[in-house]
Amino acid sequence: MKPSIAILILLAFLSNSSIAKEYGVYNLKKILTVTETNAGKKKYGLDLKYLDQIINDLSIHAKNYPTKFDNGNDKLRATNDTKSFLAC
């Protein structure tokens, strides 16, 4: 095997290994946006980029079994975020 191929395989393995990345701290209330129009009415919307960021972070940690989190607090925050999504 050529050394360059071996290095690429090793790098691919290390990038997918059990080294856990910290789960982010998210404010789920930021997903729902509220703006006021000139007429004084409230206009509601969704911040889909923020929602996508949360879902991508969850998928990094929980796409495979067993889930991989940096520590227990990260896992607890992710569990609570997921429960909040499912309650809506």
Side-chain angles (χ1 to χ4, degrees), residues 27-50:
N27 180 359
L28 299 182
K29 292 180 180 181
K30 286 178 61 177
I31 296 170
L32 179 64
T33 60
V34 181
T35 55
E36 196 167 313
T37 65
N38 292 337
K41 293 185 177 182
K42 290 185 180 181
K43 184 176 177 181
Y44 297 95
L46 294 174
D47 186 347
L48 295 178
K49 287 184 180 182
Y50 191 66

Side-chain angles (χ1 to χ4, degrees), residues 3-78:
S4 59
I5 294 173
I7 290 172
L8 287 175
I9 292 171
L10 180 62
L11 288 174
F13 175 74
L14 290 176
S15 67
N16 292 327
S17 66
S18 63
I19 301 171
K21 177 184 160 194
E22 183 178 348
Y23 179 73
V25 178
Y26 300 103
N27 180 359
L28 299 182
K29 292 180 180 181
K30 286 178 61 177
I31 296 170
L32 179 64
T33 60
V34 181
T35 55
E36 196 167 313
T37 65
N38 292 337
K41 293 185 177 182
K42 290 185 180 181
K43 184 176 177 181
Y44 297 95
L46 294 174
D47 186 347
L48 295 178
K49 287 184 180 182
Y50 191 66
L51 178 61
D52 191 46
Q53 179 183 353
I54 296 169
I55 292 171
N56 284 334
D57 199 3
L58 280 169
S59 71
I60 290 170
H61 294 89
K63 69 180 172 183
N64 296 316
Y65 184 82
T67 58
K68 297 176 183 171
F69 289 93
D70 218 20
N71 56 54
N73 288 335
D74 286 356
K75 186 173 183 176
L76 181 62
R77 277 198 323 274

